[in-house]
């Protein structure tokens, strides 16, 4: 029998021509307001929604901001550590109902829907790992990951008034040669 589905199950399926296609995903990034204490420490956490948008191929991943209430976290009332990310595989054959954070059991014979809920997504590396390892997205440029890490680090330094460190981080971001972000990085560097 095939192994039970897990988060690491490959996302490749065969299309009508017998070619391998990567599955499409919807990613929901929690934008629930943080407590005042968490807001003070949030400058070191990169904007996770932006990171998903920047790293995800738009033809495979749709990214949406959501606001979760404590009753919709799917953790039985526990207080999971934000940011929370939900990844749900799109499928034209499978319909699912969202009920209090869990996916109701499929009828017999229906295709299973893969869904992940991950808490404490607080770095560019974690977003990259979710996309590549758990969702099986291929072809994400590693230089994009490095560029975003340095850019967000530069932004945090700039926010704290650490101008020299900000410029140094922006210079490292430019050195990654990820051209999609070059204009923004140069603007932020000039701002510093």
């Amino acid at each position: 029998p095939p192994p039970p589905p897990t988060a690491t199950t490959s996302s490749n399926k065969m299309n009508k021509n017998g070619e391998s296609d990567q599955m499409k995903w919807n990613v929901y990034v929690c934008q629930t307001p943080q407590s005042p204490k968490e807001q003070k420490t949030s400058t070191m956490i990169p904007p996770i929604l932006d990171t998903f948008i920047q790293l995800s191929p738009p033809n495979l991943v749709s990214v949406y901001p959501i606001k979760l209430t404590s009753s919709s976290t799917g953790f039985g009332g526990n207080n999971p550590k934000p940011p929370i990310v939900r990844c749900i595989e799109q499928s034209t054959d499978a319909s699912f109902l969202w009920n209090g954070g869990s996916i109701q059991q499929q009828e017999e014979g229906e295709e299973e829907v893969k869904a992940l809920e991950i808490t404490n997504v607080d770095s560019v590396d974690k977003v990259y790992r979710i996309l590549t390892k758990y969702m099986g997205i291929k072809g994400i440029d590693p230089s994009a990951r490095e560029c975003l890490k340095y850019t967000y680090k530069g932004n945090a330094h700039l926010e704290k008034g650490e101008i020299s460190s900000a410029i140094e981080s922006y210079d490292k971001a430019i050195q990654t040669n990820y051209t999609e972000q070059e204009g923004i990085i140069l603007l932020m560097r000039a701002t510093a």
Side-chain angles (χ1 to χ4, degrees):
T6 65
T8 57
T9 302
S10 171
S11 296
N12 290 338
K13 296 196 177 187
M14 303 302 273
N15 67 16
K16 293 176 184 173
N17 300 328
E19 302 163 340
S20 178
D21 282 343
Q22 291 189 67
M23 284 304 299
K24 295 181 180 179
W25 290 82
N26 288 329
V27 174
Y28 302 91
V29 180
C30 177
Q31 300 293 295
T32 303
Q34 299 171 318
S35 70
K37 181 181 176 185
E38 291 170 326
Q39 287 175 350
K40 288 180 183 177
T41 61
S42 69
T43 58
M44 293 309 292
I45 298 175
I48 300 305
L49 179 69
D50 184 56
T51 304
F52 268 103
I53 291 169
Q54 294 295 323
L55 292 179
S56 299
N59 61 326
L60 296 176
V61 180
S62 298
V63 183
Y64 304 98
I66 59 169
K67 190 173 185 179
L68 295 176
T69 62
S70 59
S71 64
S72 65
T73 59
F75 288 94
N78 293 341
N79 238 351
K81 188 169 181 184
I84 301 169
V85 175
R86 289 183 175 167
C87 309
I88 302 173
E89 183 180 65
Q90 294 178 13
S91 176
T92 54
D93 297 333
S95 61
F96 60 90
L97 299 173
W98 196 260
N99 184 15
S102 62
I103 295 176
Q104 293 181 345
Q105 189 166 352
Q106 301 291 311
E107 295 294 323
E108 206 170 308
E110 286 186 14
E111 184 177 334
E112 186 172 326
V113 175
K114 286 187 229 163
L116 309 165
E117 185 164 281
I118 304 124
T119 62
N120 198 22
V121 181
D122 59 1
S123 71
V124 173
D125 286 331
K126 287 182 182 179
V127 171
Y128 183 82
R129 187 171 43 247
I130 290 167
L131 289 167
T132 58
K133 181 177 179 182
Y134 298 115
M135 294 169 57
I137 305 295
K138 299 184 185 348
I140 298 174
D141 187 352
S143 67
R145 175 183 62 177
E146 292 304 308
C147 180
L148 288 174
K149 283 176 21 180
Y150 287 122
T151 302
Y152 296 145
K153 192 174 183 179
N155 294 349
H157 286 302
L158 187 60
E159 203 171 290
K160 291 190 235 171
E162 300 168 349
I163 306 304
S164 299
S165 297
I167 291 172
E168 184 180 321
S169 293
Y170 293 137
D171 286 343
K172 288 180 180 177
I174 291 168
Q175 291 170 3
T176 64
N177 294 322
Y178 182 62
T179 57
E180 305 241 348
Q181 287 284 305
E182 188 174 26
I184 294 169
I185 298 164
L186 289 171
L187 178 64
M188 293 306 294
R189 189 182 186 288
T191 302

